Amino acid sequence: MQAARVRLPVGVYKAFEVSRGSEGEVLFRQVTSDLPIEEREYFSFCFYDKEEGIRHWLYNDKKILKQLKNLPQEFSFEVKFYPTTPTTIVDDHARYYVFLQLRRDILTGRLPATADTHALHGSFVVEMTIKCIKCYFFF
């Protein structure tokens, strides 16, 4: 067994135990069962080759160690596919994690946006703030 270090959407790291020959699906199931997410299709793991400065996506149907190629088992649980309309996401937790990723991507410049797009994202922030207040009091 080896520890895989995963950065969760809220920014904290958590270790998950996986066997040496595990495929990505094993880690994905562990993390998504730990997080209260029902709509998992938007998310995946990525890992960074710091030497080359490149982000790679971890494939769930392939062995983890083969994909890492001597890189540390450190992953980030991120949104792989943004929905065209975030309001179509039914699961409040999944919507919140998409919001966190969207906010982080805009703030870091990974996702460039026009003034109109910033206004639209601002409306999603207000919506998420209201929904998260409900989540906080009811979970």
Side-chain angles (χ1 to χ4, degrees):
M1 298 296 273
Q2 290 184 319
R5 190 170 182 237
V6 177
R7 185 174 59 113
L8 301 176
V10 293
V12 298
Y13 286 89
K14 187 170 181 178
F16 293 89
E17 293 288 324
V18 292
S19 64
R20 287 188 57 80
S22 293
E23 293 181 345
E25 182 67 26
V26 173
L27 181 60
F28 188 76
R29 286 182 188 265
Q30 282 185 24
V31 173
T32 54
S33 67
D34 191 57
L35 298 172
I37 300 176
E38 294 174 18
E39 294 176 272
R40 299 176 172 131
E41 60 272 12
Y42 300 108
F43 303 94
S44 188
F45 294 110
C46 65
F47 57 96
Y48 294 88
D49 185 342
K50 294 176 183 168
E51 210 171 274
E52 295 180 22
I54 299 173
R55 176 173 71 169
H56 302 277
W57 291 102
L58 186 73
Y59 294 99
N60 287 351
D61 60 342
K62 295 182 180 176
K63 293 187 187 258
I64 295 171
L65 289 179
K66 264 191 164 174
Q67 296 179 67
L68 288 176
K69 299 178 185 167
N70 297 322
L71 292 171
Q73 286 200 27
E74 188 168 307
F75 305 97
S76 182
F77 185 75
E78 295 186 7
V79 175
K80 188 170 185 177
F81 303 107
Y82 283 111
T84 54
T85 310
T87 55
T88 60
I89 301 174
V90 178
D91 179 21
D92 287 336
H93 292 97
R95 191 179 311 117
Y96 177 63
Y97 295 142
V98 168
F99 158 72
L100 288 176
Q101 180 72 41
L102 185 62
R103 183 180 69 178
R104 184 170 50 242
D105 285 353
I106 290 171
L107 290 174
T108 60
R110 182 185 295 169
L111 187 63
T114 64
D116 291 341
T117 306
H118 280 297
L120 178 63
H121 291 158
S123 70
F124 292 146
V125 169
V126 171
E127 178 184 348
M128 281 312 308
T129 304
I130 292 168
K131 291 203 180 252
C132 287
I133 289 171
K134 289 179 185 176
C135 288
Y136 179 77
F137 287 111
F138 296 113
F139 289 108

